[in-house]
Amino acid sequence: MSEPKAPTPTPGDTYKGWLFKWTNYIKGYQRRWFVLSNGLLSYYRTQAEMGHTCRGTINLATANIAVEDSCNFVISNGGAQTYHLKASSEVERQRWITALELAKAKAVRMQAESDDSGDECSTSPPSGGQGIGARNSEVQSTLRTLGSKVEDLSTCNDLIAKHGSALQRSLSELEGVKLGGDTSDKIRQVTERATLFRITSNAMINACRDFLALAQAHSKRWQKALQAEREQRVRLEETLEQLAKQHNHLERAFRGATVLPASQSNPTADSKGSGPGKGDASDDDENEFFDACEDVQEFITIPADPKYHRRSGSNVSGISSEIGMDDGTTSLDEQSLASNPESPQSQEVEPVRKRRARIPDKPNYSLNLWSIMKNCIGKELSKIPMPVNFNEPISMLQRLSEDLEYSELLDRAAKCQSSLEQMCYVAAFTVSSYSTTVHRTGKPFNPLLGETFELDRLQESGYRSLCEQVSHHPPAAAHHVISERGWTLRQEITVASKFRGKYLSIMPLGTIHCIFEKSNNHYTWKKVTTTVHNIIVGKLWIDQSGEIDVINHRTGDRCHLKFAPYSYFSRDVARKVTGVVTDKDGKAHYVLSGTWDEKMECSRVMQSSRGGENGMEGRQKTVYQTLKPRELWRKTPLPEGAETMYYFSSLALTLNESEEGVAPTDSRRRPDQRLMEQGMWDEANAEKQRLEEKQRSVRREREREAARLANTAEEGVPQDNYKALWFEHREDPVTGEPTHIYKGGYWETKEQGHWDICPDIF
């Protein structure tokens, strides 16, 4: 019986043909018509049954394909379905095996892409328009198709390598055969192997042809689409410029027609209709409020009713002094913003030490990060041995001390009479601590166990800060700050970090405490996740994302801050932070908005309501009517030439400056860090390895001592019995978490110069 010759299998095509399928021990193998399409292998008794009756189907994405002999092969999906099949010849069997392997690889890819697209759809924002969305969808579809073709080429390449090796073995055996009776058998075997290799090669060539044809077909379309996008952008820019000019012209005309000087506002003028115009003009200034959360789905802000700005009484809900911020009176808030920053400097009578403003420029040494990181995927970042080329010349303890860059925010908070105003400044302080990280892609040095760092800014800023590395695995640092201006800050941060291949996730664990002496307000909050993107290729960049709850444990006030992750498709400003300050009853009093790399503002909430028309998918947004915003914090510009000095801020430039009288365990005395700052990176790498090996030796000795004590006492003790020098491990009285709290004695020891109690870690 003659059969139609099956075509050479091509990736992505439907493959059909006759095969013999095992049915049972009575009937044995029966001839069936098989169809391979879209990752599914189906069979029919005859070709005529294809339109109405399918006898069975197996999904290749979860199937296993095994070859039994020259003509037989088995397809099974784990026991539920098993097809024992036989081809008419070894060549025909190989055609089917090639087609099945290609189809299975494609089915697995499609299933994985479907899962990924489902995750992306749940987080991606809606498209800006149907036309743009359709074009984006088309481009994404084309890219997926091209990617599929590339994977097909990879699969074919694997098959060619497999069959090429078999052909090579057959040829080697032929060379060793003497002319005799088995010569013809060997030649026949070589011929069959060559035929199989030709079939697979043809499949490879067809896949290449399809890929090139598809790329050529879409190349012109992409060029036209790109040109159209450019032209549309130019038109939009021109239109926007015209609208801006028209808006400016109308605004000037409106103000010139309706705003009257105070001396001219009289009953006669009001009777002519200038009164309403004047009221509208006053509202025009108030309309320059910030829209706290245009694209964040939690709430919306709108300008408060003008009556709130003109009302001087205390019948509006809230604190009258806070309302005074916007009705012309001088409030504590304005005093904090205007006068407080100047007051410390005006009271200084002692000469302040001049700090350095530059460090040696960063050498231009090239090193491939991926060559080091590719073997470290999934590991803790603190356990990855990396050269100093990826570091910056400060330690994690010094980086932690950089949180005090804008300590004046806490100075202002300490002067606030209202706990709600104070909460705004504390929230701004939490955001400001991230402003120094925007360009800082370098990794700080991992502190050695027992390493310390003091930051004495009593003269300049009124505070003293002490950090100590209290644990090595996991790495944990304890931090304590005491200020003469009425506040104390303490924290213990454990860094959990993972390398994900394309990006680094750095997750600080631990609670930060801030206590104000005058009011006894006790605030706590945690840090958000830091992500370093483009590890493999491209320019490294930093993003902060997550949510922070700042809680006042005395009053029950709370501020919920949201750090929006960067999204290419978002229409909102990058690095945006929004928040709402509420009292213990959940009533909103302030709305915060800004960016973690530039500034934060607050607006007093006059009224709130649940919005119906702004809800999405059944969720209603809260609408806040707010007064004009007030700036809480603005980032100080970086020093000149910061791009050659690791993008250090003015404070960071002084952190590693040598100082007399500091502890022998201070980070300023760390030799590898000092060598790196001076540009001697090779020497710094050697010194870094020496210090790490010394630390490992000390730890092994400590573990041996702990084991000896355990054997002596006949009971278990921790393997590492290290105890911090300046901090004690105990339960936090507020949160109940185990933490390290400063036990005192450091500054007294420094005054006496008795550093003999410090360990030798350098």
Side-chain angles (χ1 to χ4, degrees), residues 209-418:
R209 186 182 297 112
D210 289 346
F211 179 80
L212 292 175
L214 188 61
Q216 291 172 355
H218 285 280
S219 176
K220 295 182 179 179
R221 295 177 60 187
W222 287 343
Q223 291 177 0
K224 292 180 180 179
L226 180 60
Q227 183 63 27
E229 292 289 345
R230 288 175 176 171
E231 294 174 355
Q232 183 179 8
R233 187 188 66 181
V234 172
R235 289 195 298 269
L236 288 174
E237 289 176 350
E238 293 174 351
T239 304
L240 185 61
E241 184 179 0
Q242 293 176 1
L243 288 175
K245 291 179 180 178
Q246 293 175 6
H247 179 272
N248 190 27
H249 175 73
L250 291 173
E251 187 179 47
R252 288 198 303 268
F254 173 76
R255 293 189 176 186
T258 60
V259 178
L260 294 176
S263 61
Q264 297 181 13
S265 77
N266 51 56
T268 304
D270 292 342
S271 66
K272 295 180 181 179
S274 298
K278 182 178 179 181
D280 294 341
S282 66
D283 292 342
D284 185 75
D285 289 338
E286 299 303 329
N287 283 334
E288 296 176 5
F289 72 105
F290 88 105
D291 188 2
C293 237
E294 182 178 349
D295 280 339
V296 178
Q297 284 74 17
E298 275 129 3
F299 57 85
I300 301 174
T301 60
I302 61 175
D305 192 278
K307 65 183 180 181
Y308 291 122
H309 304 286
R310 295 193 294 269
R311 187 176 301 180
S312 59
S314 60
N315 55 335
V316 179
S317 62
I319 301 171
S320 59
S321 65
E322 295 169 329
I323 298 176
M325 288 191 302
D326 285 80
D327 61 12
T329 62
T330 302
S331 70
L332 180 62
D333 214 349
E334 261 184 23
Q335 293 172 0
S336 300
L337 285 168
S339 62
N340 286 347
E342 305 299 331
S343 57
Q345 285 78 1
S346 62
Q347 296 173 1
E348 290 289 349
V349 293
E350 298 181 6
V352 179
R353 172 181 172 179
K354 183 176 178 59
R355 307 282 179 179
R356 69 180 184 181
R358 285 200 62 85
I359 61 173
D361 290 348
K362 177 182 179 181
N364 187 20
Y365 294 152
S366 61
L367 189 62
N368 184 7
L369 177 60
W370 178 242
S371 64
I372 295 175
M373 302 293 282
K374 64 183 179 181
N375 296 323
C376 304
I377 297 176
K379 295 182 180 179
E380 281 283 348
L381 182 61
S382 60
K383 297 182 180 180
I384 298 176
M386 286 199 291
V388 299
N389 303 56
F390 302 120
N391 287 41
E392 55 183 15
I394 60 174
S395 73
M396 183 61 75
L397 302 181
Q398 293 165 314
R399 189 76 170 260
L400 196 61
S401 301
E402 280 191 75
D403 287 356
L404 302 170
E405 178 87 30
Y406 299 96
S407 62
E408 66 269 14
L409 291 171
L410 297 181
D411 297 340
R412 300 179 199 177
K415 295 179 180 293
C416 289
Q417 301 296 326
S418 165

